[in-house]
Amino acid sequence: MKTMFARAASAVACAMIALAAPGSAQPAIPHMQMWRLDCGTIDVADLDAFSDTYLYVGQKKRLTDSCYLVRHGENYLLWDTGLPGELAGKPPLTSDGYTTSLGSRLVDQLRGIGVTPDKVNFVGISHNHFDHIGQAADFPKATLLIGAEDLEATKKSDAAARFAPWLKGGAKVQETKGDLDVFGDGSVIVLDMPGHTDGHQSLLVRLPRTGPVLLTGDLFHFTENMQKHGVPGFNADRSATLASFDRFETIAKTLKARVIIQHELRDVAKLPAFPTPAE
């Protein structure tokens, strides 16, 4: 028995040495950059909806709506697509206590850095709410990365038109279940963080100079929401939300990551203003 364990230990040691060797087959991470993009503004008339324990009664708040472009060598991942593009340049629209506005479409912003829609390889969707899928159809050649549960729910809703290139046009869809290493080298990982919706996802991007960056999706909506663990009453699953809170915060602490709450004005300023990328 001792001999068997000794041989096993020796084999593991040799494998670890091989992985650490200069000639080992570890994937090389190409040049990476990350841009924050303006995907609109949302004024919330009644913030009480963002906690089922009455944390924000009588409060109102302005939220930003941010999207992100990640360059990985010659490939591009667009994370979330913001408010509907048809709002661009028009007066603010008020509906059900939310006032939304959009300055410019994503395609126009990306044109400023030489990225046309056909250059975007992946469109990653944190979840299927209107302020995150609004301009997805502007990138019909990209592979759609979306939680399987969210895609299924969208097929049965009025929002299905936002995914027309994938639902009707035959564009490639990768339905995610669990985490997804987008490029296979650990640099960009879609994280399974259910609760806000059943297929909700966050994103981890490991930049060479900036270090790890964690994008929340709508796991949290603003700083106080994260600090007090406010669970919106409209979330799909309360217990799953709390479990995702714990996982997300543990990852952030372990990696010493820069956390970006995508709707928090103070957080989006942690990355350079467009068109300057983080690297």
Side-chain angles (χ1 to χ4, degrees), residues 42-220:
I42 304 172
D43 288 309
V44 183
D46 184 5
L47 206 61
D48 187 40
F50 288 80
S51 167
D52 62 5
T53 53
Y54 308 103
L55 290 172
Y56 314 115
V57 175
Q59 297 184 39
K60 57 181 65 177
K61 191 174 183 66
R62 169 164 286 187
L63 303 178
T64 191
D65 197 10
S66 61
C67 306
Y68 298 85
L69 182 73
V70 179
R71 177 186 175 188
H72 181 275
E74 299 303 313
N75 295 298
Y76 290 94
L77 163 70
L78 178 63
W79 179 253
D80 280 336
T81 64
L83 290 165
E86 54 266 31
L87 294 177
K90 295 182 179 179
L93 177 66
T94 299
S95 178
D96 297 325
Y98 296 90
T99 299
T100 55
S101 59
L102 179 67
S104 62
R105 300 179 75 109
L106 279 169
V107 290
D108 296 325
Q109 294 178 59
L110 295 179
R111 189 180 298 117
I113 56 173
V115 178
T116 54
D118 60 297
K119 289 185 178 180
V120 176
N121 307 90
F122 299 95
V123 169
I125 299 295
S126 63
H127 63 294
N128 62 359
H129 287 171
F130 79 103
D131 53 326
H132 293 259
I133 67 173
Q135 299 169 64
D138 289 346
F139 304 90
K141 294 184 179 180
T143 297
L144 181 68
L145 307 178
I146 185 171
E149 299 88 348
D150 277 22
L151 182 62
E152 190 59 33
T154 302
K155 291 177 182 178
K156 306 170 186 176
S157 74
D158 295 338
R162 300 294 175 186
F163 293 138
W166 300 278
L167 298 181
K168 296 181 179 180
K172 186 177 179 181
V173 180
Q174 185 163 357
E175 299 179 46
T176 54
K177 290 188 176 183
D179 295 352
L180 174 68
D181 187 343
V182 179
F183 299 107
D185 57 14
S187 62
V188 180
I189 299 178
V190 176
L191 298 170
D192 183 32
M193 293 284 173
H196 183 60
T197 61
D198 290 328
H200 181 273
Q201 308 176 130
S202 300
L203 189 71
L204 168 63
V205 181
R206 299 174 191 258
L207 295 170
R209 295 180 184 175
T210 303
V213 176
L214 275 169
L215 302 178
T216 58
D218 274 8
L219 182 60
F220 306 101

Side-chain angles (χ1 to χ4, degrees), residues 219-247:
L219 182 60
F220 306 101
H221 289 85
F222 45 92
T223 301
E224 296 80 6
N225 192 225
M226 183 174 185
Q227 291 171 341
K228 296 182 179 181
H229 283 188
V231 178
F234 51 83
N235 273 21
D237 188 316
R238 193 177 204 280
S239 60
T241 299
L242 293 173
S244 291
F245 284 174
D246 181 69
R247 184 186 181 214

